[in-house]
Amino acid sequence: MSKDLRINEEIRVREVRLVGTDGEQLGILAVRDALRMAQERNLGLVEVAPMAKPPVCRIMDYGKYKFEQSKREREARKKQKIVNIKEVKLRPNIEDNDFDTKARNAIRFLEDGDKVKVTIMFRGREITHPELGRQLCVRLAEVCKPISNVERDAKVEGRNMIMILTPKAETQREPKAEKPRDAKTAEKAEAPAKGEVSE
């Protein structure tokens, strides 16, 4: 259904195909008769298919429909996962321990459901040896292979080489749940400390 539906007196046609509250077909009626039937039930007449010949109108509680529609839209937005792109920058001559740190960062980003843009930054004459950057990309992709796929292979752009990794759906981490407290810990937390007065 369109968001901007015409209702009641806004419906400017002579006759409509009327649908009842339970979806039953009530036939083709003059719009004034359809409107009267809706008012008798303390409901609204809503034009749901304006392009049909004649237009289709339904008797419904329009306020309730709008409320439920906005509720459904809010729920759909909540379920949508926003994918961010996080960047990991490396140099062709990076030390092993620095590489390990960058790899851990990439793994963390992927587990959080984010894409990872791997950027190899070349300086000066380093750009004449793109194979070094490609080897780094292959090495990082191999480390992240259990939880990611290569969405875009390593490619030189200007003085950088770019590769994009995307997380595998089944390896994305769920939000951390609070640890359950045992009974004694819960009692201590709930009991007021000395000198305090519980309300």
Side-chain angles (χ1 to χ4, degrees), residues 95-166:
E95 298 288 335
D96 285 347
N97 60 337
D98 289 335
F99 176 86
D100 293 341
T101 302
K102 300 284 187 179
R104 279 196 301 273
N105 288 342
I107 288 167
R108 191 177 78 246
F109 296 148
L110 290 162
E111 285 178 341
D112 287 342
D114 297 320
K115 291 186 181 185
V116 174
K117 178 183 178 183
V118 181
T119 304
I120 312 295
M121 300 179 297
F122 296 99
R123 281 193 194 150
R125 295 181 62 79
E126 289 174 347
I127 195 68
T128 59
H129 297 285
E131 70 278 2
L132 297 176
R134 200 161 278 111
Q135 285 166 13
L136 263 183
C137 286
V138 169
R139 185 178 164 195
L140 187 59
E142 199 60 36
V143 171
C144 299
K145 192 174 182 179
I147 61 164
S148 72
N149 296 313
V150 177
E151 184 180 275
R152 192 177 123 189
D153 287 323
K155 186 178 174 185
V156 175
E157 292 183 8
R159 299 195 68 79
N160 296 329
M161 180 175 282
I162 309 287
M163 175 180 74
I164 294 177
L165 300 175
T166 187

Side-chain angles (χ1 to χ4, degrees), residues 77-91:
R77 279 197 297 272
K78 277 184 195 172
K79 288 175 186 172
Q80 284 176 345
K81 168 72 178 143
I82 298 169
V83 178
N84 296 312
I85 297 182
K86 299 291 178 82
E87 188 171 25
V88 174
K89 294 181 177 180
L90 303 93
R91 296 291 313 286

